[in-house]
Amino acid sequence: MSSFSFGRFYETWFDHLHHLLRQLSSSHRPPRTEEEKDKLLLLIDKMMSHYEDYYRTKGVAAERDPLQVLASPWASTLERALHWIAGWRPTTAFHLVYTESSLLFESHIIDILRGVRTGDLGDLSPSQFRRVSQLQCDTVKEENAITEELSEWQDSASELIDAGADIEEKIGRLVSIIRKADDLRLRTIKSVVGLLTPQQAVEFLIASAELLSGIRGWGINHDRPRISR
């Protein structure tokens, strides 16, 4: 897959993300019937399949041209400024959970003090908090290990211009690093969703999609004046 074709895929992928976001936002929360719960689960599956499709396609692009994927010319300058190895930092997912949980908790504080359960992200159980915290610690360790691996690859940059260097082997290592980063991103979002109830998972996925879309939209608007000069 050429960088140009992945760029087109990226645009199409975001268009469909907006479509799924509208579906998630219009869903009934909390679900009042088993049918509504099944619809939430179906929407969650659709969103997770959408993410899986993205990383599968990106993996093919990285295999063909890892340097181009790392540079990510199809992304806005704001997106690239926030990138960690050609994508969002996995631990961002936990900051999102904590932020959404705090905001919803504050908005429902009166109900919570009265013993009314809201069932949303502001109503995470102690067990859920413990599991999210442990997952965050594990993710930080993996994130740091991959960052160190990329740092070592960058430190060996002088070898890339060595006439006797195995360039293919060096580039192959970069492909592996990008794949590890993307695998951690996908596993993290799957693991977070797995710790949540269907209602909470939908709220997390809405917040995630809104963050991605918001950053991309702001970045495109920021780049537009510079492009038109």
Side-chain angles (χ1 to χ4, degrees), residues 80-101:
R80 291 196 294 273
L82 296 172
H83 273 181
W84 171 79
I85 313 181
W88 55 275
R89 187 176 285 274
T91 44
T92 302
F94 303 102
H95 298 304
L96 199 58
V97 169
Y98 295 138
T99 298
E100 291 296 311
S101 177

Side-chain angles (χ1 to χ4, degrees), residues 120-156:
D120 57 20
L121 280 174
D123 194 20
L124 291 174
S125 69
S127 174
Q128 285 178 308
F129 270 117
R130 285 194 299 270
R131 293 162 69 193
V132 169
S133 179
Q134 183 58 56
L135 180 60
Q136 181 180 15
C137 291
D138 294 341
T139 304
V140 167
K141 290 178 183 178
E142 286 196 67
E143 209 177 75
N144 289 340
I146 298 170
T147 298
E148 180 63 25
E149 190 172 351
L150 178 62
S151 179
E152 291 174 358
W153 186 88
Q154 291 170 330
D155 287 342
S156 67

Side-chain angles (χ1 to χ4, degrees), residues 109-128:
I109 186 65
I110 301 300
D111 289 335
I112 293 171
L113 290 175
R114 291 173 176 169
V116 177
R117 303 300 301 270
T118 60
D120 57 20
L121 280 174
D123 194 20
L124 291 174
S125 69
S127 174
Q128 285 178 308

Side-chain angles (χ1 to χ4, degrees), residues 18-221:
H18 294 149
H19 173 69
L20 290 174
L21 176 57
R22 287 192 294 271
Q23 289 186 320
L24 288 170
S25 299
S26 62
S27 61
H28 290 291
R29 301 189 308 278
R32 297 164 297 189
T33 64
E34 282 300 312
E35 182 180 2
E36 288 182 355
K37 182 179 179 180
D38 288 342
K39 287 182 178 179
L40 285 186
L41 292 172
L42 179 60
L43 288 173
I44 292 169
D45 286 343
K46 284 183 178 180
M47 184 62 90
M48 297 314 301
S49 294
H50 192 53
Y51 282 118
E52 289 172 355
D53 185 40
Y54 175 78
Y55 289 113
R56 182 170 51 251
T57 306
K58 185 182 173 188
V60 173
E63 190 75 35
R64 297 187 178 183
D65 194 342
L67 297 177
Q68 190 79 347
V69 167
L70 201 61
S72 304
W74 41 79
S76 67
T77 52
L78 177 59
E79 288 173 288
R80 291 196 294 273
L82 296 172
H83 273 181
W84 171 79
I85 313 181
W88 55 275
R89 187 176 285 274
T91 44
T92 302
F94 303 102
H95 298 304
L96 199 58
V97 169
Y98 295 138
T99 298
E100 291 296 311
S101 177
S102 178
L103 290 172
L104 288 170
F105 178 83
E106 290 177 4
S107 68
H108 299 318
I109 186 65
I110 301 300
D111 289 335
I112 293 171
L113 290 175
R114 291 173 176 169
V116 177
R117 303 300 301 270
T118 60
D120 57 20
L121 280 174
D123 194 20
L124 291 174
S125 69
S127 174
Q128 285 178 308
F129 270 117
R130 285 194 299 270
R131 293 162 69 193
V132 169
S133 179
Q134 183 58 56
L135 180 60
Q136 181 180 15
C137 291
D138 294 341
T139 304
V140 167
K141 290 178 183 178
E142 286 196 67
E143 209 177 75
N144 289 340
I146 298 170
T147 298
E148 180 63 25
E149 190 172 351
L150 178 62
S151 179
E152 291 174 358
W153 186 88
Q154 291 170 330
D155 287 342
S156 67
S158 59
E159 299 175 19
L160 294 173
I161 58 175
D162 186 341
D166 185 348
I167 301 300
E168 291 300 319
E169 188 272 335
K170 301 293 182 188
I171 296 300
R173 281 181 57 199
L174 182 58
V175 173
S176 174
I177 292 169
I178 294 173
R179 283 188 175 277
K180 286 180 182 179
D182 282 345
D183 176 65
L184 181 57
R185 277 184 270 265
L186 184 58
R187 280 192 292 112
T188 298
I189 197 169
K190 282 184 173 181
S191 297
V192 170
V193 166
L195 295 176
L196 304 174
T197 66
Q199 178 186 351
Q200 293 167 344
V202 166
E203 290 167 350
F204 168 71
L205 291 172
I206 288 173
S208 301
E210 287 179 340
L211 180 63
L212 287 175
S213 298
I215 289 173
R216 178 154 179 78
W218 195 95
I220 290 173
N221 288 335

